[in-house]
């Protein structure tokens, strides 16, 4: 063991010189005994200096006893130093870790009642530096709060702000103490400087402490000082106001104006928090957001996953579309996707879909990153994710299946908007999971009364697209919808009408009310909506005997139907099928692209067999089937078949994929004879 020098640094020596001297001697020690001896020798030096020496040792040597000896230093020094030195030691030693802090806190706790306001505030800040709180530190916080309460009137604005921040950081809750702290702060608000105002409002928001009167006073005090706020103070303030739901348009305008010139100095988290806060409050300022994106661009590689997701989500919420910036943000996100949390992944995909920023490669990587985390997704995350995938046309049956498996047991906790988002998405993707749909219908039924008109229409439309019929649920939905008839938009009316026809849902009362309402707003329907209405009218006439349709409505719908080109024939496949059919017995008179007598439908291949047997052969590609069950017709295909049946045709479907397999096997003739019921 190397013996340290015997001399003790003179009290008048500059602290930096003492630090260097003790640091050198510490580095010369080879074991814990030598270190402790050195500490004993220098215990007359301030704890501040000793703490820095210990920190130097911990950073500069590989000796594993550094932190443990630092903890012993505290015990030795605590008996020989002044109270001010203890709190200074706490501030420095917080960086040395939990062991050191626990030792210091235990040594200091009995003395807290004798601490001054400044010492109490600094001790609280030192504890907060740890980042974690255990029972020992929580006990010390109780003692600190008890010691601070009768002295709060003597705390300076900085002491009050620092104490509130420390308690908020540690998640410490004591409503009575916070009431007293806010009361003390109210009396001194006129003395608060920008940093103190920002730290106080941040702490209150973090703790969920709501005092509207105090917030009004704080905002009033902050307004004339906004141009003296630093970037962190501005970001923390706007984040806090958004978190608390505090609205003050005039103050926000002033804050944004003050923040604009400083955006280049904002750190990544400050930029992300500012964007999130403005979006949360609905405070849209396109010029400011453009400047924020400009400031964020060069720093995107330093953004955390949460910052990237929050920024993207904020831009999407505010409708601020910047393709170049989003491209850079997606690029920065790609390398971090595997460390994105569930909520971050859901926010990111929702934002991209909302802004229409489609990147197939990134989406594939995002889905891959999300798959192992699906069980940690909350209801909103699940709904937003599947909604986004559907909106961008990114169909991944395996991923969606896994997502639905996770969502099923949670459905009873889904809110109406989440239920509607997920069923709408499944309808758009033509992805039917019968067990999931049964659970969704069960969850949605009791909530139908609080569905908006648009929610009701979208739900019915999605069920219809999937061909998922549930008479009891649809009956309940229509019962809720009937009194709201005048609240439905033309698009909602068209979706509801088409859904009834596609699901073959007979409800004479609702049908009559819907036709009457549609007749009142004919001019407001788009061409696609008029085509939906015509299918509904044709269905209702055929199956419900409904003949009273306003002529103006009927004429407008027929015109939109006739002017539409309809389905494009499957290239290559339909002519091949037609050629093979013409070779079959009694099928030589088959007609390609045959129009029905009323001119409403064009049949791919019409075949008339003996007697009055009319066959409508439809050569259907993937768009006619469910995406996860490629041989099961979707709702639109079912409705087409139903309307053709009403015109005396027996519909025979030849799926393109199935036909191609028969071609490969050389069995097209046998396949068609079986489908058409033709014997050789």
């Amino acid at each position: 063991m190397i013996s340290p020098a015997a001399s003790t640094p003179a009290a008048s020596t500059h602290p930096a010189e003492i630090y260097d001297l003790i640091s050198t001697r510490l580095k010369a020690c080879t074991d814990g005994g030598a270190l402790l001896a050195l500490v004993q020798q220098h215990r007359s030096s301030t704890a501040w200096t000793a703490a820095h020496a210990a920190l130097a040792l911990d950073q500069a040597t590989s000796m594993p006893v550094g932190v443990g000896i630092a903890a012993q230093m505290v015990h030795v020094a605590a008996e020989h130093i002044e109270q001010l030195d203890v709190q200074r030691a706490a501030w420095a030693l917080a960086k040395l870790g939990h062991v050191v802090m626990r030792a210091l806190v235990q040594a200091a706790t009995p003395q807290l009642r004798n601490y001054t306001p400044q010492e109490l505030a600094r001790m609280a800040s030192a504890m907060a530096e740890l980042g974690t709180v255990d029972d020992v530190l929580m006990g010390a916080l109780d003692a600190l709060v008890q010691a601070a309460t009768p002295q709060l009137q003597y705390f300076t604005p900085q002491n009050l702000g620092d104490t509130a921040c420390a308690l908020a950081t540690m998640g410490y809750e004591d409503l009575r103490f916070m009431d007293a702290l806010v009361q003390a702060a109210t009396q001194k608000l006129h003395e608060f400087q920008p940093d103190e105002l920002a730290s106080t409002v941040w702490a209150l928001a973090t703790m969920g402490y709501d005092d509207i009167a105090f917030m009004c006073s704080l905002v009033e005090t902050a307004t004339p000082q906004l141009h003296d706020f630093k970037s962190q103070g501005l970001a923390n303030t706007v984040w806090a106001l958004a978190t608390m739901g505090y609205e003050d348009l005039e103050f926000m305008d002033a804050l944004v104006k003050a923040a604009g010139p400083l955006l280049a100095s904002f750190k990544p988290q400050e930029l992300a928090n500012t964007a999130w806060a403005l979006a949360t409050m609905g405070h849209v300022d396109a010029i400011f957001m453009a400047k924020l994106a400009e400031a964020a661009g060069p720093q995107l590689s330093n953004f955390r996953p949460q910052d990237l997701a929050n920024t993207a989500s904020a831009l999407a919420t505010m409708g601020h579309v910047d393709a170049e910036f989003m491209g850079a943000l997606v690029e920065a996100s790609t390398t971090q996707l595997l460390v994105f949390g569930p909520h971050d992944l859901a926010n990111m995909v929702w934002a991209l879909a909302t802004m229409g920023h489609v990147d197939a490669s990134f989406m594939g990587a995002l889905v891959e990153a999300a798959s192992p985390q699906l069980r940690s997704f909350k209801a909103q995350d699940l709904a937003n994710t599947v909604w986004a995938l559907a909106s961008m046309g990114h169909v991944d049956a395996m991923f969606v299946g896994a997502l639905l498996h996770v969502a099923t047991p949670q459905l009873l906790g889904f809110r109406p908007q989440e239920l509607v988002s997920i069923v709408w998405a499944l309808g758009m993707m033509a992805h039917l999971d019968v067990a999931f749909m049964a659970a969704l219908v069960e969850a949605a039924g009791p909530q139908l009364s609080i569905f908006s008109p648009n929610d009701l229409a979208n739900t019915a439309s999605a069920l219809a697209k999937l061909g998922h019929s549930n008479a009891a649920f649809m009956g309940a939905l229509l019962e809720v919808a009937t009194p709201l008839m005048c609240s439905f938009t033309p698009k909602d009316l068209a979706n509801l009408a088409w859904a009834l026809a596609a699901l073959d849902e007979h409800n004479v009362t609702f049908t009559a009310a819907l036709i009457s309402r549609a007749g009142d707003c004919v001019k407001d329907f788009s061409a696609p909506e008029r085509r939906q209405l015509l299918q509904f009218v044709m269905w209702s006439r055929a199956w419900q005997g409904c003949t009273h349709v306003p002529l103006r409505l009927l004429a407008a719908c027929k015109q939109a139907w006739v002017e539409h080109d309809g389905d494009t024939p499957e290239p290559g496949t339909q002519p091949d099928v037609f050629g093979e059919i013409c070779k079959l017995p009694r099928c030589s008179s088959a007609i390609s692209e045959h129009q029905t007598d009323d001119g409403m439908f064009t049949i791919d291949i019409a075949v008339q067999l003996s007697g009055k047997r009319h066959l409508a052969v439809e050569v259907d590609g993937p768009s006619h089937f469910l995406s996860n069950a490629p041989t099961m017709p979707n709702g639109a295909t079912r409705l087409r078949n139903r309307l053709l049946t009403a015109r005396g045709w027996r519909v025979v479907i030849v799926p393109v994929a199935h036909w191609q397999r028969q071609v490969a096997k050389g069995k097209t003739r046998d396949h068609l004879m079986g489908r058409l019921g033709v014997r050789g």
Side-chain angles (χ1 to χ4, degrees):
M1 179 176 70
I2 300 175
S3 299
S7 61
T8 300
S12 59
T13 304
H14 191 276
E17 296 173 357
I18 298 175
Y19 169 81
D20 290 338
L21 177 59
I22 296 181
S23 247
T24 301
R25 293 179 180 178
L26 281 167
K27 291 176 186 178
C29 296
T30 57
D31 64 356
L35 284 170
L36 188 55
L38 185 62
V39 172
Q40 292 277 9
Q41 180 182 349
H42 291 299
R43 64 189 182 192
S44 60
S45 302
T46 65
W48 179 259
T49 302
H52 274 74
L55 181 58
L57 171 69
D58 189 60
Q59 294 175 334
T61 180
S62 60
M63 189 184 302
V65 296
V67 173
I69 293 303
Q72 294 183 56
M73 285 174 63
V74 175
H75 284 298
V76 173
E79 300 176 1
H80 300 280
I81 56 181
E82 299 297 326
Q83 294 169 12
L84 181 61
D85 292 328
V86 173
Q87 56 85 13
R88 283 177 175 169
W91 182 260
L93 289 173
K95 295 183 179 179
L96 285 176
H98 200 69
V99 175
V100 176
M101 197 63 210
R102 280 173 58 90
L104 176 61
V105 168
Q106 286 176 312
T109 299
Q111 304 179 40
L112 287 174
R113 62 182 177 277
N114 299 320
Y115 275 31
T116 65
Q118 184 178 18
E119 292 163 0
L120 289 166
R122 287 188 175 178
M123 179 61 80
S125 296
M127 293 180 189
E129 284 290 315
L130 278 175
T132 56
V133 180
D134 59 14
D135 291 341
V136 172
L137 292 183
M138 193 58 71
L141 281 173
D142 288 336
L144 187 147
V145 164
Q146 187 175 359
T149 301
Q151 299 191 62
L152 283 173
Q153 60 183 315
Y154 304 114
F155 274 50
T156 65
Q158 183 177 353
N159 298 156
L160 292 166
D162 288 349
T163 301
C165 267
L167 298 181
T169 300
M170 290 183 281
Y172 184 86
E173 297 182 3
D174 187 324
L175 181 59
R176 185 175 298 178
F177 177 75
M178 285 307 301
D179 285 341
L181 186 147
V182 166
Q183 185 178 358
T186 302
Q187 303 302 318
K188 299 183 178 181
L189 265 180
H190 62 283
E191 301 174 20
F192 274 58
Q193 298 300 306
D195 285 350
E196 294 150 5
L197 290 164
S199 60
T200 300
V201 72
W202 176 88
L204 297 180
T206 302
M207 288 189 280
Y209 184 89
D210 187 15
D211 186 324
I212 188 66
F214 178 74
M215 283 303 304
C216 289
S217 299
L218 187 147
V219 164
E220 184 179 354
T221 303
T223 301
Q225 301 188 56
L226 281 173
H227 286 284
D228 295 322
F229 274 56
K230 298 175 184 176
S231 60
Q232 184 179 7
L234 290 166
N236 283 353
T237 299
V238 71
W239 175 88
L241 295 179
T243 300
M244 290 189 283
Y246 183 87
E247 297 181 6
D248 186 322
L249 180 59
E250 186 176 345
F251 178 76
M252 284 305 304
D253 285 339
L255 188 149
V256 165
K257 184 178 180 180
L262 299 178
L263 282 173
S265 65
F266 273 48
K267 296 177 182 177
Q269 187 176 0
E270 295 164 359
L271 290 164
N273 283 355
T274 300
W276 173 87
L278 293 177
T280 300
M281 289 188 283
H283 192 93
V284 180
D285 186 321
I287 295 176
F288 179 81
M289 287 308 300
K291 291 180 179 177
L292 187 147
E294 183 180 355
Q299 300 189 62
L300 285 173
S301 60
N302 297 321
F303 274 50
R304 302 173 305 165
Q306 184 180 1
D307 298 333
L308 291 164
N310 282 351
T311 301
S313 177
L315 293 176
T317 300
M318 290 187 280
H320 187 89
V321 179
D322 184 331
E324 184 178 351
F325 176 77
M326 283 306 300
L329 187 147
V330 164
E331 184 178 352
S333 300
T334 302
T335 58
Q336 298 192 58
L337 272 178
L338 292 179
V339 292
F340 269 59
H343 190 59
D344 300 330
L345 289 165
N347 270 355
M348 178 62 76
V349 71
W350 176 86
L352 295 177
T354 301
M355 288 188 280
H357 189 96
V358 180
D359 185 322
S361 176
F362 180 75
M363 284 304 302
L366 188 147
V367 164
E368 184 178 352
S371 294
Q373 299 191 60
L374 281 174
R375 291 191 179 279
S376 300
F377 277 49
K378 296 180 180 178
Q380 185 177 7
D381 298 331
L382 292 165
N384 283 353
T385 299
V386 72
W387 175 89
L389 294 177
S391 297
M392 289 189 281
H394 188 92
V395 179
D396 185 323
M398 185 175 296
F399 177 75
V400 172
L403 185 150
L404 298 183
H405 180 72
V406 171
T408 301
Q410 301 183 45
L411 282 174
L412 291 177
F414 275 48
R415 295 173 296 181
Q417 185 57 53
E418 293 158 357
L419 291 167
V420 174
S421 291
I422 205 165
V423 74
W424 176 90
L426 295 177
M428 290 295 293
M429 291 189 285
H431 185 106
L432 176 62
D433 182 319
V434 176
F436 176 82
M437 290 304 299
L440 185 142
V441 163
E442 181 183 357
Q447 300 189 62
L448 284 173
S449 61
I450 55 175
F451 274 41
S452 70
N454 181 248
D455 292 340
L456 294 167
N458 282 345
T459 300
S461 175
L463 293 176
K465 287 177 181 177
L466 296 171
H468 185 80
S469 181
N470 185 308
F473 178 77
M474 281 302 298
L477 187 150
L478 296 179
E479 184 178 349
V480 172
T482 302
L484 302 174
M485 191 64 71
C486 292
S487 302
F488 286 102
T489 66
K491 183 176 181 179
D492 293 336
L493 289 170
N495 279 340
L496 270 173
W498 184 86
L500 290 181
L503 291 171
D504 200 22
E505 182 66 36
H506 301 274
N507 188 310
V508 176
T509 302
F510 187 83
T511 296
L514 193 152
I515 289 176
S516 175
R517 173 79 175 94
D520 293 337
C521 53
V522 176
K523 60 181 177 54
D524 298 323
F525 288 101
S526 67
E529 291 160 5
R530 290 177 182 181
R531 290 194 291 273
Q532 283 182 302
L533 285 171
L534 184 63
Q535 292 178 76
F536 165 69
V537 169
M538 289 189 289
W539 165 80
S540 63
R541 280 182 163 180
W543 302 103
Q544 293 194 146
C546 178
T547 57
H548 180 67
V549 179
L551 293 179
R552 187 176 169 214
L553 173 64
L554 186 60
C557 292
K558 281 186 175 181
Q559 182 179 357
W561 183 270
V562 171
E563 291 175 352
H564 183 54
D565 291 335
D567 291 340
T568 303
E570 288 291 332
T573 304
Q574 185 173 321
D576 289 347
V577 174
F578 176 66
E580 289 296 325
I581 287 178
C582 288
K583 298 175 185 177
L584 297 178
R586 298 185 300 280
C587 294
S588 58
S589 61
I591 303 172
S592 179
E593 296 294 301
H594 173 73
Q595 276 201 338
T596 56
D597 293 341
D598 59 4
M600 292 291 101
F601 291 91
T602 300
I603 298 170
D604 288 348
I605 303 168
V607 180
Q608 183 172 355
L609 299 178
S610 58
K612 297 183 179 180
R613 294 173 60 199
H614 299 291
L615 300 184
V617 180
E618 294 291 335
V619 183
D620 289 342
S623 64
H624 288 270
F625 303 95
L626 298 175
S627 61
N628 63 323
T631 61
M632 186 178 294
N634 58 29
T637 303
R638 289 169 181 261
L639 178 56
R640 177 204 66 189
N641 296 349
R642 189 174 295 120
L643 293 175
L644 284 173
T645 299
R647 283 159 176 72
W649 295 86
R650 181 170 74 85
V651 181
V652 176
I653 295 177
V654 178
V656 170
H658 191 63
W659 172 259
Q660 291 171 345
R661 287 195 294 271
Q662 300 308 311
V663 170
K665 295 177 182 178
K667 295 185 176 182
T668 55
R669 179 182 175 86
D670 293 343
H671 172 68
L672 286 175
M673 290 180 68
R675 288 265 177 178
L676 274 59
V678 176
R679 297 180 181 179

